Amino acid sequence: MYNRNDVCLYNSMNIKVAVQMSLLIEELSLNAWPALRTIVHEGWLLRFANGYTKRSNSISVIYTQHEGDIERSISYCEGIYAAALSTIIYLLV
């Protein structure tokens, strides 16, 4: 016999584990395919590699619990990528 509360607790624990696992996989992927230059902005990783691959020329939004003005952060990133003459690609985890 199962208790409905046990099922809900089990599901919420699975979600937390899945989120932690996806962050770990993303970190490993970023390290396995490094960029030539990385800028950290409010937990966002702005990566540049002279256009070689999309992963190495992208913004990874993985270390943030954004409480500030997200439009301001996007505008900042657009300015940095425009100055580098690079197309903006966002990776959301």
Side-chain angles (χ1 to χ4, degrees):
M1 190 88 178
Y2 75 92
N3 181 338
R4 182 178 177 179
N5 291 331
D6 292 340
V7 172
C8 292
L9 176 64
Y10 177 76
N11 287 337
S12 66
M13 287 174 56
N14 280 344
I15 290 170
K16 289 178 184 177
V17 169
V19 168
Q20 290 174 346
M21 184 64 81
S22 67
L23 289 174
L24 175 62
I25 291 169
E26 186 62 24
E27 287 177 6
L28 293 171
S29 298
L30 292 170
N31 289 321
W33 208 276
L36 298 175
R37 183 173 64 131
T38 301
I39 299 172
V40 179
H41 173 69
E42 296 182 356
W44 295 14
L45 303 179
L46 290 71
R47 298 165 36 94
F48 302 88
N50 298 331
Y52 289 113
T53 67
K54 287 184 179 182
R55 177 172 291 281
S56 294
N57 291 283
S58 63
I59 300 168
S60 296
V61 183
I62 61 173
Y63 299 118
T64 186
Q65 295 177 345
H66 213 286
E67 296 176 8
D69 184 2
I70 195 163
E71 291 178 3
R72 183 179 54 83
S73 292
I74 291 171
S75 179
Y76 172 83
C77 293
E78 288 174 348
I80 295 290
Y81 275 76
L85 302 175
S86 186
T87 303
I88 298 177
I89 300 166
Y90 290 95
L91 298 176
L92 305 174
V93 178

